């Protein structure tokens, strides 16, 4: 046996490093020899009067997770992303964009492991606060979403995203639901919400 201890690497740090490395590699492929041609696929703030590209509601005015999708065919390339008032609108738009042959660079959702969410009630619905600042987003490749919980969002039933397994377990214990890899969400799961 080796005479050393294996250092545990937190999943978040590992995924951040992998995503960062892939982003640099991907950007290098797009830009040829000129480093000024790289594509930035970082999340942006969704504050202000930005309307949801799926349903038209103002993104920051509604509770629950929000999303954004960055496309290679946006002008300039990798430019202005699609903005969404809910995870359901994000996935709905993503599936339609894929059907249309659009080249998706990245999908981001609110990461409730990164924020201090507030829980509140509106009528009989339990909801989480919305977070539209860029620091509140993670790539769907880093996230697990919880479906069919007691928490609703802007469009009703929602996928509630987390990057930390402990947060997922605590959420499911308190609000129910079933966790899924965010990249495994398909139309049937969206329809079943």
């Amino acid at each position: 046996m080796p005479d050393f201890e294996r250092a545990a690497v937190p999943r978040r740090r590992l995924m951040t490093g992998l995503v960062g490395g892939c982003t640099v590699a991907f950007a290098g492929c797009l830009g040829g020899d000129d480093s000024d041609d790289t594509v930035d696929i970082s999340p942006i703030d969704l504050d202000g009067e930005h309307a949801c590209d799926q349903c038209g509601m103002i993104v920051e005015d509604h509770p629950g997770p929000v999303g954004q999708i960055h496309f290679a065919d946006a002008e300039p390339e990798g430019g202005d992303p699609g903005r969404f008032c809910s995870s359901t609108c994000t996935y709905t738009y993503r599936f339609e964009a894929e059907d249309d042959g659009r080249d998706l660079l990245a999908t981001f959702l609110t990461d409730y492991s990164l924020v201090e969410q507030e829980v509140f009630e509106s009528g009989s619905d339990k909801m989480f606060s919305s977070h539209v600042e860029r620091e509140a987003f993670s790539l769907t490749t880093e996230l697990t979403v919880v479906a069919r919980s007691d928490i609703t969002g802007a469009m009703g039933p929602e996928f509630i995203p987390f990057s930390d397994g402990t947060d997922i377990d605590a959420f499911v214990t308190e609000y129910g639901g079933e966790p899924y890899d965010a990249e495994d969400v398909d139309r049937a799961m969206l329809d079943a919400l």
Side-chain angles (χ1 to χ4, degrees):
M1 299 235 4
D3 192 32
F4 62 89
E5 279 189 35
R6 199 169 179 180
V9 177
R11 179 176 181 258
R12 179 103 175 115
R13 184 181 305 150
L14 176 64
M15 292 305 294
T16 300
L18 289 173
V19 169
C22 290
T23 300
V24 169
F26 179 72
C29 291
L30 290 174
D33 292 337
D34 185 358
S35 63
D36 291 335
D37 291 338
T38 59
V39 176
D40 181 13
I41 55 169
S42 300
I44 65 167
D45 293 326
L46 298 184
D47 56 350
E49 294 297 311
H50 296 293
C52 176
D53 287 311
Q54 178 64 30
C55 72
M57 295 184 351
I58 301 301
V59 174
E60 78 171 351
D61 289 351
H62 300 282
V66 298
Q68 53 188 279
I69 302 175
H70 296 247
F71 295 97
D73 60 357
E75 293 296 330
E77 185 177 27
D80 204 25
R83 297 168 174 91
F84 307 97
C85 68
S86 67
S87 58
T88 56
C89 280
T90 305
Y91 279 111
T92 301
Y93 194 94
R94 179 176 164 168
F95 297 146
E96 292 170 2
E98 289 170 341
D99 288 347
D100 291 342
R102 293 193 70 189
D103 188 7
L104 281 73
L105 294 176
T107 304
F108 294 92
L109 292 173
T110 304
D111 181 352
Y112 281 105
S113 292
L114 298 179
V115 298
E116 293 294 324
Q117 72 270 13
E118 296 176 32
V119 181
F120 61 94
E121 292 188 15
S122 177
S124 62
D125 292 329
K126 289 182 187 169
M127 301 179 163
F128 272 8
S129 52
S130 177
H131 299 270
V132 296
E133 62 280 3
R134 76 183 72 213
E135 299 82 15
F137 291 96
S138 290
L139 288 162
T140 52
T141 55
E142 300 175 18
L143 295 170
T144 298
V145 295
V146 180
R148 294 180 292 284
S149 72
D150 294 337
I151 300 296
T152 60
M155 301 306 286
E158 280 288 355
F159 294 107
I160 308 297
F162 298 92
S163 60
D164 183 273
T166 303
D167 294 334
I168 296 163
D169 293 342
F171 178 86
V172 169
T173 297
E174 187 162 355
Y175 301 108
E178 299 172 46
Y180 298 94
D181 185 302
E183 285 294 299
D184 289 342
V185 172
D186 59 21
R187 286 179 176 87
M189 293 171 65
L190 186 62
D191 293 341
L193 277 180

